């Protein structure tokens, strides 16, 4: 389908200072960006919020991010190619795609955004914009965390035992499904209201984190964990160590300073059981794999809620509140 020539200006949501939360988001009209070398201009259909987005606004990643203010947040998007920059050969105007925008520039809370061509993949018609936009950070992190534990997605892997904490969050729900695709035994923690959902997506054992058994995180079948995909905060290495197999790894996707220190100490002392902080390394191959799994019906994006761009502040607050089941989607139409 041919895309109309982009307008000169677009609606966007930005913040001009760190702090401020949802109230700090402002609706503005700004010029539509243009695609430079190896970039594509996208007319956005959907974007999804990740906790890192509001952590940047809070100033938790300074001085690295935000690089400049005002800043249009959010990186995980889906839409239609509206223009291609010099050097781009794989995309044409009208292609439906999923992309991860450059974290330095953000741009997802807008009608148009520029994406690096090497983090943009084609989206088949049977993968909706919302399903695709959920993938880049959340499913990408789940995939890389499981690979760090030793999971293989080509049928050659060992049947490892994994624990997934906060399994009903954005990363956790993808991690449960991907772990089952890699033939792992999955123990998951979540709130009681989401136990059925998490079990339905493939978890073998589901623990309510509010019960003493759930808080202890022990496998009901007495298994030791070869790996933990740790998607929550406030639980340190000492809680996991007795639950781990001799070579078990805890992959911490929200590492704080204390976790970084523990990890450094484990590396230096050549510990067999280890805490490993994970910082996502976005890449096109992983995104293509994930979009393919959604197309084949092997991976689902669980959508917690949808908001129009005009209600972006409500979506932002919902993510900050921290009780979403799956992904919070902002849609650009309306």
């Amino acid at each position: 389908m041919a895309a109309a020539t982009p307008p000169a200006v677009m609606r966007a949501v930005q913040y001009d200072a760190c702090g401020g939360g949802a109230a700090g988001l402002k609706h503005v009209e700004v010029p539509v960006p243009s695609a430079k070398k190896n970039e594509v201009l996208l007319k956005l259909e959907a974007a999804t919020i990740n906790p890192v987005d509001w952590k940047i606004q809070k100033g938790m990643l300074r001085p690295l991010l935000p690089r400049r203010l005002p800043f249009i947040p959010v990186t995980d998007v889906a839409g239609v190619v509206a223009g291609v920059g010099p050097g781009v050969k794989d995309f044409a105007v009208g292609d439906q795609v999923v992309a991860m925008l450059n974290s330095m520039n953000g741009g997802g809370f807008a009608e148009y955004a520029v994406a690096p061509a090497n983090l943009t993949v084609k989206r088949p018609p049977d993968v909706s914009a919302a399903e695709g936009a959920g993938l880049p950070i959340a499913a990408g992190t789940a995939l890389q965390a499981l690979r760090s534990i030793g999971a293989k997605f080509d049928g050659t892997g060992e049947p490892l035992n994994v624990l997934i904490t906060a399994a009903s969050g954005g990363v956790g729900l993808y991690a449960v499904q991907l772990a089952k695709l890699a033939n792992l035994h999955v123990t998951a923690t979540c709130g009681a209201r989401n136990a059925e959902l998490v079990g339905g997506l493939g978890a073998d054992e589901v623990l309510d984190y509010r019960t003493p058994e759930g808080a202890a995180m022990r496998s009901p079948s007495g298994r030791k964990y070869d790996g933990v995909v740790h998607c929550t905060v406030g639980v340190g290495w000492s809680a996991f160590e007795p639950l781990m197999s001799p070579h078990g790894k805890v992959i911490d996707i929200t590492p704080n300073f204390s976790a970084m220190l523990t990890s450094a100490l484990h590396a230096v002392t050549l510990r067999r059981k280890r805490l490993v902080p994970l910082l996502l390394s976005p890449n096109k191959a992983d995104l293509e794999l994930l979009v393919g799994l959604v197309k084949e019906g092997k991976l689902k994006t669980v959508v917690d809620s949808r908001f129009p761009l005009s209600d972006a502040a409500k979506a932002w607050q919902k993510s900050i509140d921290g009780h979403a089941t799956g992904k919070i989607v902002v849609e650009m139409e309306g």
Side-chain angles (χ1 to χ4, degrees), residues 141 144-150 226-231 237 240 244 247-256 258-267 271-280:
T141 298
Q144 291 183 14
L146 288 163
R147 281 205 190 114
S148 300
I149 288 164
D226 300 300
V228 176
V229 181
H230 185 31
C231 304
W237 167 252
F240 292 115
M244 307 302 293
H247 294 273
K249 284 185 189 166
V250 176
I251 312 298
D252 191 346
I253 68 158
T254 56
N256 58 17
S258 156
M260 293 288 198
L261 276 182
T262 303
S263 165
L265 194 63
H266 288 179
R271 289 281 291 260
R272 290 190 304 167
K273 294 185 188 183
R274 299 180 54 179
L275 176 74
V276 182
L278 178 80
L279 296 170
L280 177 70

Side-chain angles (χ1 to χ4, degrees), residues 13-25:
V13 174
Q14 65 184 30
Y15 53 84
D16 7 350
C18 282
L25 298 180

Side-chain angles (χ1 to χ4, degrees), residues 130-155:
E131 287 173 319
L135 297 171
I137 286 182
T141 298
L143 181 67
Q144 291 183 14
L146 288 163
R147 281 205 190 114
S148 300
I149 288 164
K152 298 249 179 24
F153 295 89
D154 58 3

Side-chain angles (χ1 to χ4, degrees), residues 206-224:
V206 183
L207 299 168
D208 175 358
Y209 73 92
R210 290 190 181 89
T211 63
E213 296 76 19
M217 301 181 294
R218 276 191 200 86
S219 159
S221 56
R223 293 158 196 260
K224 293 284 190 186

Side-chain angles (χ1 to χ4, degrees), residues 279-299:
L279 296 170
L280 177 70
S281 309
N283 66 82
K284 189 165 188 149
D286 283 359
L287 198 47
E288 283 176 336
L289 170 71
L290 293 163
V291 169
L293 290 172
V294 175
K295 176 185 184 289
E296 291 162 20
K298 294 176 178 171
L299 184 67

